[in-house]
Amino acid sequence: HEKARGIIIAALDEVAWLYNIRGDDVHYSPVVHSYSIVTLHSAFFYVDKRKVSVEVQNYMTDNGIDIKDYNMVQSDASLLASGQLKGSAVNGSSYGENDMNENSKVWIDSNSCCLALYSKLDQDQVLMLQSPIALPKAVKNPVELDGLRKAHIRDGAAVVQYLAWLDNQMQENYGASGYFSEAKGSQKKQHMEVKLTEVSVSDKLEGFRASKEHFKGLSFPTISSVGPNAAVIHYSPEASSCAELDADKIYLCDSGAQYLDGTTDITRTVHFGKPSEHEKSCYTAVLKGHIALDSAVFPNGTTGHALDILARTPLWRSGLDYRHGTGHGIGSYLNVHEGPHLISFRPSARNIPLQASMTVTDEPGYYEDGSFGIRLENVLIVKEANTKYNFGDKGYLAFEHITWAPYQTKLIDTTLLTPAEIEWVNAYHADCRKILQPYLNEQEKEWLRKATEPIAVSCC
């Protein structure tokens, strides 16, 4: 209904999704340097032909897609503009795009189309709108959802193996009280074999992930951060200059992986010594916001802009906040950050309502400059809610969390949680234990059992 006769697709993940291909031209994202032009009669794929396997070649041919050299996209954009772009074969006949009339426009998405291609078009024939691929890509099909759930289970097992390993290392090398105990006093052993650094421990986490089925690499550089570094929201540790682990400081780890069946993104924040009361109350406020968003029920048509406040309210009560969005979409073995929807205070979050089968992260945080940072992140799937009523015949939505790894109960001030929040944590932990156990050895199972023990309501 937009009356366009052709579209130029420049976003790499949109080309990958449209033609159902993946590659490794870009670190952390399984995409290929390529373009696509699709018209009413033809489809073109612009790529370095040396990358195209026989299998992909046959698949494209079978589906009527012309593979052309990457650098031909500019001249073809000019041909498209003048109505002369010809595709090879549709049912054996050659097609010219002679649908030139005053209504026929060329669709581009200004967020991804480069100036070089835009300049080949007549300004009055350009239809500048969000790509029609963005939304279908964001709404996952049942196969994609199934893959995402499975990938997140294996990923959660890797995170648990890592936390159990790190807990052991911190006790052995730094005399830390560890993940479960709050005893004060830690001292570094005089003759440590190996120093634990933000980078060396994140390499270990990558090793646990790499041992899992369908692992293809990380989905972004791991944010492994100790103490003051954890307060830097997009901190990127370098091996030569990163901090050593410290049993008396908070450790925040935001990481994710690419698996053939899904993309993951998870953040957990832990302390291997004695956290301060302030750190505990901040962690608990972040957790309360995280649970509030996870538990939300809302009518169809609701945007992420409207939901963002749920994750912030517990922090706001203490005059605290964080300076990043609360959630982003996540790809299906594709980019770890995916639009067009998001959960955020930013005005763009008003544009796209959340829909069933979208994915979105739930990641509130709190950062105290020069001191510590806290973030808790799970991936959620939007699902239809089973509500008692259906006011306005809108249909209601809710979330299903698919990320599995424990929250550190030592950092939770249970006096600040409601009975419903305590029940949520205990139910989540029981699920973690059940779902992840098959992937763990005996010591890891025992660690997980301890990490997911129910928390009791504190009376005083």
Side-chain angles (χ1 to χ4, degrees), residues 135 138-139 298-305 340-342 348-356 358 382 397:
L135 205 52
V139 179
F298 49 95
N300 267 308
T302 303
T303 66
H305 192 272
H341 60 294
L342 64 163
S348 57
R350 295 194 182 108
N351 300 341
I352 306 286
L354 297 181
Q355 290 182 33
M358 279 180 169
V382 185
L397 299 171

Side-chain angles (χ1 to χ4, degrees), residues 115-135:
L115 184 61
L117 294 184
Y118 173 71
S119 61
K120 302 284 182 200
L121 309 171
D122 295 333
Q123 313 310 299
D124 56 356
Q125 67 171 181
V126 171
L127 176 68
M128 222 183 283
L129 281 178
Q130 177 181 288
S131 162
I133 292 171
L135 205 52

Side-chain angles (χ1 to χ4, degrees), residues 6 22 26 36 119 144 168 189 194 235 271 302 375 378 394 416 432 441 446:
R22 299 293 185 270
V26 177
S36 168
S119 61
E144 290 172 318
N168 187 42
K189 301 273 175 76
V194 191
Y235 175 68
H271 199 304
T302 303
R375 182 159 64 250
N378 285 351
K394 283 186 161 184
L416 301 174
C432 270
N441 68 27
E446 179 51 33

Side-chain angles (χ1 to χ4, degrees), residues 65-81:
I65 299 155
D66 287 327
I67 302 179
K68 303 186 87 170
D69 282 320
Y70 182 76
N71 52 14
M72 285 187 70
V73 69
Q74 293 206 49
S75 52
D76 277 9
S78 299
L79 289 173
L80 178 66

Side-chain angles (χ1 to χ4, degrees), residues 210-283:
S211 70
K212 302 289 176 271
E213 192 184 11
H214 301 322
F215 175 80
K216 299 295 283 183
L218 300 182
S219 54
F220 58 95
T222 300
I223 301 171
S224 171
S225 52
V226 174
N229 293 341
V232 181
I233 290 167
H234 290 124
Y235 175 68
S236 185
E238 298 291 337
S240 55
S241 58
C242 68
E244 188 175 353
L245 261 62
D246 186 331
D248 299 317
K249 294 194 173 90
I250 270 183
Y251 172 66
L252 181 157
C253 186
D254 182 351
S255 65
Q258 295 286 6
Y259 300 91
L260 279 174
D261 49 357
T263 302
T264 69
D265 187 359
I266 173 175
T267 310
R268 289 295 182 266
T269 304
V270 295
H271 199 304
F272 294 104
K274 186 170 173 57
S276 68
E277 289 310 307
H278 177 57
E279 286 169 334
K280 283 186 179 181
S281 69
C282 292
Y283 180 95

Side-chain angles (χ1 to χ4, degrees), residues 161-430:
Q161 289 174 310
Y162 172 62
L163 289 173
W165 170 83
L166 189 55
D167 181 18
N168 187 42
Q169 293 292 305
M170 291 301 290
Q171 292 180 58
E172 278 187 11
N173 294 328
Y174 293 84
S177 51
Y179 187 91
F180 302 108
S181 163
E182 276 193 71
K184 188 74 177 130
S186 62
Q187 58 281 325
K188 208 164 15 170
K189 301 273 175 76
Q190 290 314 304
H191 305 291
M192 275 177 61
E193 311 279 304
V194 191
K195 203 166 76 158
L196 296 179
T197 69
E198 291 167 331
V199 168
S200 73
V201 296
S202 76
D203 287 347
K204 187 74 181 178
L205 171 55
E206 183 172 356
F208 283 120
R209 284 194 160 109
S211 70
K212 302 289 176 271
E213 192 184 11
H214 301 322
F215 175 80
K216 299 295 283 183
L218 300 182
S219 54
F220 58 95
T222 300
I223 301 171
S224 171
S225 52
V226 174
N229 293 341
V232 181
I233 290 167
H234 290 124
Y235 175 68
S236 185
E238 298 291 337
S240 55
S241 58
C242 68
E244 188 175 353
L245 261 62
D246 186 331
D248 299 317
K249 294 194 173 90
I250 270 183
Y251 172 66
L252 181 157
C253 186
D254 182 351
S255 65
Q258 295 286 6
Y259 300 91
L260 279 174
D261 49 357
T263 302
T264 69
D265 187 359
I266 173 175
T267 310
R268 289 295 182 266
T269 304
V270 295
H271 199 304
F272 294 104
K274 186 170 173 57
S276 68
E277 289 310 307
H278 177 57
E279 286 169 334
K280 283 186 179 181
S281 69
C282 292
Y283 180 95
T284 309
V286 171
L287 177 63
K288 285 170 75 76
H290 178 79
I291 294 170
L293 180 58
D294 178 282
S295 313
V297 178
F298 49 95
N300 267 308
T302 303
T303 66
H305 192 272
L307 296 180
D308 180 74
I309 186 176
L310 295 173
R312 294 177 196 272
T313 302
L315 285 155
W316 285 354
R317 285 201 185 100
S318 304
L320 304 177
D321 204 352
Y322 52 95
R323 293 190 185 97
H324 58 75
T326 303
H328 56 82
I330 194 162
S332 185
Y333 183 38
L334 216 49
N335 293 358
V336 71
H337 282 188
E338 187 175 271
H341 60 294
L342 64 163
I343 297 177
S344 175
F345 54 88
R346 295 187 175 88
S348 57
R350 295 194 182 108
N351 300 341
I352 306 286
L354 297 181
Q355 290 182 33
S357 298
M358 279 180 169
T359 53
V360 68
T361 59
D362 170 5
E363 50 178 312
Y366 173 66
Y367 311 89
E368 205 150 284
D369 288 347
S371 187
F372 65 87
I374 296 160
R375 182 159 64 250
L376 296 172
E377 175 183 23
N378 285 351
V379 172
L380 311 176
I381 293 171
V382 185
K383 62 174 186 179
E384 289 179 7
N386 190 9
T387 51
K388 186 175 177 185
Y389 304 107
N390 182 16
F391 181 80
D393 283 334
K394 283 186 161 184
Y396 285 70
L397 299 171
F399 293 117
E400 166 198 349
H401 44 248
I402 60 173
T403 301
W404 303 108
Y407 304 96
Q408 190 178 23
T409 52
K410 181 170 95 175
L411 269 171
I412 300 173
D413 180 346
T414 51
T415 63
L416 301 174
L417 294 185
T418 65
E421 287 164 340
I422 287 174
E423 194 182 316
W424 185 97
V425 171
N426 287 342
Y428 178 85
H429 277 167

